[in-house]
Amino acid sequence: MTRSINTSGVGRRPNMAWLMGGCALAGLMSAGAAAAQDAPAPAEDAAQLDEVIVTGSYQRSLERAVDIKRENVGFSDSIVATDVANFPEQNLAEALQRIPGVTIERNRGLGGRVSVRGLPADFTFVTINDLATASGSGGREVELDIFASEVIQQVTVQKSPRAADEEGGIAGAVNISTARPFDYSGHELVGAVEGAYNSISEEIDPKVSFLASNTWGDWGALASFSTARRTNRTDSNSGINFRSLTRFLSANTGVRGEQAMDVLERDAGIIVQDRTDTDETDLIIFQDKVGDRAYLNTQDQWGGTLSLQYRPSSTFSLSFDAMLGGYDTVEDEYDAAAYSASSRSTLETIHEYDDTTLADYGIVVLRDVSYTATQHEFLSKERINETEYAQFGAEMDWSGDGWEAHALAGYSGAEKTLDYANLKHVAYAPSRTRWTERGGETIPSANPATIDMYDAPTSYLFEAYETTLEQISDDKYAAQGDLTRYFDLEAFPALTSVQVGARYTDRSKERQYGELKIQGPGPGDSSWVNTRTLADSELTPIADLVPGGAYSARDLTWSQVSNEYARQTFRYDGFSTPFNPGQYYEVSEEVLSLYAMADFNFDIGPVPVAINGGARYVDTSITSSGYHQVQTPTGGTTYTPEPVSSDGGYDKVLPSLNINAELTDSLVLRAAASETLMRPALTDLAYKRTANWNSFRFTDGNPNLEPTYAKQWEVGLERYLGGGGLLAVSYFWKEIEGVVRSELTGVVPNVTKYNANGTIDGVYDFEVYQPVNAEGSYEVSGVELVAIVPLGLIYEPLEGFGINANYTLLDSSLTGESDLDIPTPPVGLADSTYNVTLYYENDRFQARASYNFKDKYVEGIGYEMYPIWRDAYGQTDISLSYNLNDSIQLSVEGINITDEATTGYTMDPSFPTTYELSGRRVSFGLRASF
């Protein structure tokens, strides 16, 4: 599916796909990593093993991951080669959920952003080949769903930092590595094809990937490529949320509020003492909006790598790595929704109310209500998202006579364009809305003016064809140099090495945004408003609008305008979405980091102890600019002719300490302590100003924000069983301070406010609200358990069987931000998560089944008052593969094979908000290696 994006007047980089050139003839299947033959490891990489993984061995991938964990000084977990590429997944984010303490945020069945240890996704720092990754998101978080997992060789989640590690992640750092030619022994060529079937869309999607690698004496080259299409359909009965009856009771007309008071007393016996007192009216709840929605999300993803290496000896290596990719999505959303809180409506009849479920909070919920004028909406929404990313890096390693030197330089960039459209038709009519077991429904009421909202196209009047256009450009340059000196001192034998280094990064992010309402056949024409009806457009049954047939969330159907028809009909010749200066910002950030650390190795009695300790100094300078909103003499608003700039900055010393003690040959005690930081979101740093002339308020960005800091420590015990087996337990604690909140920061005196006729309304003092670092701190603590057990170690006849399981339990002292003081955990924090994988393999056959679980969590606070929960979710994935011979493998994989639904509720499960079905996904694959 290909659709053009309006980019009038906006410069763009050339499409990156041409840069692949000949690389498109040889691409990656990280199964290619799995297909690698044994090869000697580079001497300079202490974490490398003596061998790489052979074709298709999940057990060997576990062994390598466990060895990486053991060799690391500090707390980390990894997945490598076959575990990334061969396990059922739809993108890199979904592959990472197998790592202890890692969970993903799902959006309509697809994994997207990654969180570590229950903290928000922007608390996690992401690098690729030691370069911090640019992203097309509006913040710092990296949307890992843009990366094809097939171009990844290894992922390590570093949970306790060293001084040499780039700062930026309070939760942890996700370090991604792509393949290099000397990872292999000589010539490698691996290719794969796959077809995947979604049970709701009933579409079959292709995936093609391949890798070619070779070494010629001192030189090596590797090229890889992967391209895939994914078609996901989601059917959703959702949007049902709490709304305070303040909406009706405090209506300025009085008639709506008085009628609501009368109906409350007549049908529920509730007497409102003061309908303007929100402390009273916020505790009476009705349904905000009920909607049936069908989504079709089509993704086209490609990614490739190119790596060149020169390694004349075990003491010198020079590498060049390139990673390019694109991620284009088109999402069609078709809504039939009923907005109970219409500005024209109020209560007509209360059929059922609930004064017991939430009685502890003094809340009464109106479960089943007829309204006088519900706003029924048919919405055809289209979201087109184009993301291009590129990363180039050069790396040098040298060692000799007790010295090591390492240097790195590179660039990471991303551009993202989002083109959004919403065709809106509205019908105001009496109707009845109520909760159901899974969500909500709107049906005709007893009022003779009611309508069947799903079959009344002539009642729906055209309101607008709304468009928005957003463009984000993110560029990051980095350079780093390190020098290590190894010691063998008789006077101080414990000191084994000292390392010093420096890193410089220069990042800039620019964002432009605009919106436009089309209400007639030409610019400025509004002749279609309230005259054109839904019936005047070509209508298509929902079963034909999205592939896969009938709507599955409920037994109903309706017809709507397709997005293709809307684009052709309502976008007139010469149409473009203009950018709004008030939404523009640019943030530039320069960081200089200096560090020093030392390694110590000594024995305490029979126990070998390894210590890594050091400190990192970080100096950050920020320049941010944006337009400021000002009022015209006629009472309108405009913006400063040029962006207004402001500077900020901060510096900090971040100490770190990591300790390993080998209590026995198989038992390791591990401990770590450090200070770390997470930089403010770029949108909060953006120095743009908006004005509310009625509230006498300016809202500014704040380039002087400091990071959110964390002090943390962890202790753990690990038992290594051999053959990749591991039993581990750890306890971690974090104290987080400087969380960003919006607060009153000052006053601008003597601001002149104008009336529409040009007269002066008055001169006022305007309050200034900005994001600031809040005072105080909160604590997060938890326990992680890991069990990787090849069952043949326990009982020989079970050779080939095994289990890989992990469990994370979290606790936090921070409560939610409900204005009603309803206690909740922090948004996004689940009390527990776990993963269990059962596997079997022999020389020919492999089978794996994995269950991934995330406990319930608060996903938001409705109207800043009512906590909205996402239910606990568990998903089962499977993988089966068979090696026809040494070169060819057949595979079958299944995602969400039990067809789980995504559900949620407001405050109590008896008030459901979400019921989404995204279906199963089954794929069949063939891969060959030579």
Side-chain angles (χ1 to χ4, degrees):
M1 181 179 297
T2 303
R3 304 185 193 182
S4 60
I5 290 183
N6 174 298
T7 56
S8 300
V10 181
R12 291 175 51 82
R13 293 189 181 129
N15 191 300
M16 297 184 194
W18 69 269
L19 293 171
M20 291 303 298
C23 302
L25 297 177
L28 166 71
M29 186 75 196
S30 46
Q37 312 241 341
D38 293 350
E44 66 270 21
D45 189 352
Q48 287 270 357
L49 304 185
D50 293 333
E51 299 176 324
V52 296
I53 304 164
V54 297
T55 301
S57 174
Y58 178 68
Q59 174 65 40
R60 291 294 297 275
S61 73
L62 290 178
E63 290 179 17
R64 184 176 182 188
V66 168
D67 282 342
I68 292 172
K69 180 180 180 71
R70 182 164 188 172
E71 292 297 323
N72 193 12
V73 179
F75 290 87
S76 69
D77 291 283
S78 302
I79 52 177
V80 293
T82 56
D83 198 11
V84 176
N86 284 351
F87 208 86
E89 39 66 32
Q90 298 181 81
N91 53 52
L92 178 58
E94 296 202 348
L96 294 184
Q97 68 182 319
R98 319 294 175 190
I99 297 178
V102 175
T103 56
I104 62 174
E105 297 178 6
R106 295 181 185 275
N107 182 26
R108 293 188 278 281
L110 291 172
R113 299 187 300 173
V114 169
S115 63
V116 176
R117 289 179 165 171
L119 294 169
D122 52 359
F123 280 40
T124 301
F125 186 66
V126 179
T127 67
I128 297 179
N129 295 333
D130 291 327
L131 293 172
T133 305
S135 163
S137 68
R140 295 183 186 272
E141 71 279 3
V142 176
E143 298 167 325
L144 290 173
D145 55 350
I146 72 175
F147 299 113
S149 63
E150 288 78 17
V151 301
I152 305 303
Q153 170 81 352
Q154 174 181 311
V155 181
T156 294
V157 177
Q158 189 71 35
K159 299 173 182 177
S160 63
R162 304 174 308 151
D165 298 330
E166 188 175 1
E167 71 287 344
I170 285 178
V174 176
N175 303 316
I176 300 168
S177 301
T178 58
R180 286 176 173 170
F182 281 100
D183 293 338
Y184 302 89
S185 176
H187 172 74
E188 292 291 336
L189 179 62
V190 181
V193 295
E194 179 185 293
Y197 172 82
N198 178 268
S199 63
I200 297 184
S201 71
E202 299 182 354
E203 293 284 297
I204 297 178
D205 298 324
K207 178 190 287 188
V208 178
S209 57
F210 49 99
L211 173 147
S213 178
N214 204 356
T215 57
W216 304 272
D218 299 340
W219 293 88
L222 178 149
S224 67
F225 187 76
S226 174
T227 182
R229 166 164 285 198
R230 299 185 185 92
T231 306
N232 281 67
R233 173 178 164 182
T234 298
D235 291 351
S236 173
N237 177 229
S238 62
I240 309 99
N241 193 12
F242 279 13
R243 185 69 182 261
S244 161
L245 207 65
T246 301
R247 170 69 170 170
F248 295 153
L249 291 171
S250 63
N252 292 331
T253 61
V255 175
R256 296 169 61 213
E258 290 170 3
Q259 180 174 339
M261 289 179 63
D262 293 340
V263 174
L264 280 171
E265 182 175 1
R266 182 194 69 199
D267 295 342
I270 299 173
I271 299 175
V272 176
Q273 302 297 329
D274 182 357
R275 66 183 182 89
T276 64
D277 181 5
T278 56
D279 290 339
E280 179 181 8
T281 59
D282 283 348
L283 300 179
I284 307 172
I285 308 302
F286 70 105
Q287 283 175 302
D288 186 2
K289 190 173 186 177
V290 175
D292 289 287
R293 298 170 171 85
Y295 300 89
L296 178 67
N297 187 287
T298 304
Q299 306 170 14
D300 289 298
Q301 180 186 68
W302 69 271
T305 64
L306 173 67
S307 181
L308 304 175
Q309 267 187 297
Y310 173 61
R311 196 172 73 173
S313 69
S314 61
T315 62
F316 182 80
S317 175
L318 183 64
S319 303
F320 170 79
D321 299 295
M323 183 176 180
L324 304 172
Y327 180 73
D328 300 338
T329 68
V330 176
E331 182 176 78
D332 295 301
E333 175 185 346
Y334 297 103
D335 290 8
Y339 185 43
S340 306
S342 158
S343 60
R344 304 182 187 182
S345 187
T346 190
L347 306 181
E348 188 170 69
T349 304
I350 300 172
H351 303 281
E352 181 183 354
Y353 67 94
D354 182 339
D355 59 1
T356 58
T357 303
L358 301 178
D360 289 346
Y361 306 108
I363 292 177
V364 177
V365 182
L366 310 183
R367 284 190 172 272
D368 184 351
V369 179
S370 290
Y371 301 91
T372 59
T374 298
Q375 180 177 320
H376 306 86
E377 300 174 339
F378 269 26
L379 309 175
S380 298
K381 300 180 181 179
E382 181 185 48
R383 300 176 181 88
I384 302 177
N385 173 349
E386 293 184 354
T387 301
E388 296 176 340
Y389 64 89
Q391 180 168 305
F392 306 96
E395 189 171 8
M396 184 276 292
D397 289 284
W398 170 85
S399 62
D401 195 22
W403 291 88
E404 278 191 6
H406 170 262
L408 173 74
Y411 163 81
S412 179
E415 286 196 351
K416 185 174 186 176
T417 302
L418 300 99
D419 183 7
Y420 168 79
N422 177 23
L423 175 61
K424 186 175 183 180
H425 288 84
V426 176
Y428 289 93
S431 65
R432 178 179 177 180
T433 298
R434 60 193 180 190
W435 264 282
T436 63
E437 181 180 354
R438 291 177 171 175
E441 65 177 358
T442 297
I443 60 174
S445 70
N447 190 311
T450 191
I451 62 172
D452 178 354
M453 64 171 285
Y454 297 96
D455 189 21
T458 58
S459 299
Y460 285 83
L461 298 177
F462 174 89
E463 184 170 294
Y465 181 74
E466 303 168 339
T467 69
T468 67
L469 182 65
E470 181 176 15
Q471 290 192 334
I472 298 171
S473 178
D474 189 2
D475 297 286
K476 190 164 188 176
Y477 298 86
Q480 178 171 323
D482 308 280
L483 190 63
T484 304
R485 172 63 170 163
Y486 292 93
F487 297 98
D488 186 9
L489 304 174
E490 292 185 7
F492 193 10
L495 177 64
T496 56
S497 69
V498 172
Q499 183 174 334
V500 296
R503 187 180 186 100
Y504 173 78
T505 63
D506 184 350
R507 181 175 191 173
S508 63
K509 180 167 283 197
E510 185 179 35
R511 186 247 195 180
Q512 298 189 82
Y513 176 89
E515 56 188 34
L516 182 71
K517 280 188 177 182
I518 298 175
Q519 295 184 313
D525 191 330
S526 60
S527 60
W528 284 341
V529 177
N530 294 328
T531 60
R532 185 184 177 105
T533 72
L534 185 65
D536 293 328
S537 293
E538 179 183 290
L539 301 180
T540 305
I542 194 67
D544 297 325
L545 275 175
V546 288
Y551 180 66
S552 60
R554 294 205 296 144
D555 184 17
L556 59 85
T557 186
W558 69 95
S559 295
Q560 264 184 261
V561 179
S562 74
N563 283 319
E564 183 178 2
Y565 175 89
R567 178 173 283 267
Q568 294 173 353
T569 303
F570 296 100
R571 296 198 177 200
Y572 46 78
D573 290 342
F575 158 82
S576 65
T577 301
F579 287 126
N580 179 0
Q583 298 296 330
Y584 169 87
Y585 69 78
E586 182 177 17
V587 179
S588 298
E589 181 179 76
E590 295 184 49
V591 180
L592 176 63
S593 301
L594 307 174
Y595 78 89
M597 68 181 190
D599 287 300
F600 302 87
N601 288 272
F602 55 90
D603 295 337
I604 300 179
V607 177
V609 176
I611 296 179
N612 173 274
R616 187 176 186 89
Y617 170 74
V618 180
D619 185 18
T620 303
S621 300
I622 297 166
T623 299
S624 174
S625 61
Y627 291 91
H628 283 207
Q629 192 174 13
V630 295
Q631 196 178 36
T632 65
T634 57
T637 59
T638 186
Y639 297 93
T640 54
E642 299 292 336
V644 180
S645 296
S646 181
D647 297 330
Y650 50 85
D651 59 358
K652 181 72 173 180
V653 175
L654 304 172
S656 62
L657 179 67
N658 292 277
I659 304 173
N660 290 4
E662 294 192 14
L663 304 180
T664 69
D665 289 343
S666 61
L667 192 63
V668 176
L669 176 66
R670 217 179 278 272
S674 62
E675 290 189 33
T676 186
L677 60 82
M678 180 200 72
R679 290 192 167 85
L682 297 170
T683 51
D684 291 331
L685 293 171
Y687 192 57
K688 58 188 180 72
R689 168 173 288 179
T690 57
N692 187 320
W693 303 105
N694 294 321
S695 299
F696 311 107
R697 173 184 293 187
F698 291 134
T699 301
D700 291 1
N702 186 0
N704 287 300
L705 276 175
E706 292 202 2
T708 299
Y709 295 104
K711 298 176 181 179
Q712 56 190 23
W713 60 266
E714 185 167 359
V715 62
L717 193 64
E718 301 165 357
R719 175 67 182 272
Y720 292 87
L721 306 177
L726 170 68
L727 298 175
V729 58
S730 64
Y731 175 83
F732 60 89
W733 176 91
K734 299 175 186 285
E735 182 183 47
I736 300 173
E737 63 178 352
V739 176
V740 175
R741 297 281 186 265
S742 179
E743 292 184 6
L744 174 66
T745 59
V747 174
V748 178
N750 304 322
V751 177
T752 302
K753 179 186 174 185
Y754 294 91
N755 295 314
N757 60 6
T759 61
I760 295 178
D761 178 85
V763 179
Y764 303 94
D765 292 343
F766 272 55
E767 296 177 331
V768 179
Y769 282 79
Q770 291 178 288
V772 299
N773 299 106
E775 295 182 0
S777 63
Y778 70 95
E779 298 177 4
V780 174
S781 60
V783 175
E784 281 185 358
L785 304 173
V786 179
I788 303 174
V789 183
L791 296 180
L793 295 176
I794 301 172
Y795 184 51
E796 188 173 350
L798 294 178
E799 183 69 31
F801 288 93
I803 183 171
N804 177 11
N806 59 77
Y807 175 81
T808 304
L809 179 67
L810 297 167
D811 187 29
S812 172
S813 65
L814 183 69
T815 59
E817 302 173 30
S818 167
D819 288 348
L820 297 180
D821 296 325
I822 297 171
T824 65
V827 171
L829 180 65
D831 289 341
S832 63
T833 60
Y834 63 84
N835 302 286
V836 179
T837 298
L838 303 175
Y839 67 89
Y840 170 77
E841 65 179 42
N842 57 33
D843 292 341
R844 291 282 188 182
F845 177 71
Q846 287 190 90
R848 279 171 278 160
S850 177
Y851 183 75
N852 174 258
F853 175 85
K854 182 176 182 178
D855 207 350
K856 67 178 183 179
Y857 62 94
V858 173
E859 61 178 345
I861 309 292
Y863 298 100
E864 300 181 351
M865 292 185 283
Y866 316 110
I868 303 170
W869 290 81
R870 179 65 63 92
D871 274 315
Y873 181 85
Q875 179 172 300
T876 302
D877 305 328
I878 63 170
S879 175
L880 304 172
S881 62
Y882 182 75
N883 298 328
L884 294 178
N885 52 44
D886 291 342
S887 299
I888 299 177
Q889 182 186 80
L890 299 176
S891 64
V892 179
E893 299 178 343
I895 295 175
N896 191 25
I897 61 171
T898 56
D899 198 15
E900 298 297 323
T902 300
T903 59
Y905 60 89
T906 302
M907 295 186 66
D908 186 88
S910 65
F911 306 114
T913 60
T914 301
Y915 179 75
E916 290 185 352
L917 292 170
S918 296
R920 304 176 182 88
R921 189 174 182 86
V922 180
S923 63
F924 298 87
L926 169 68
R927 68 186 65 202
S929 60
F930 306 95

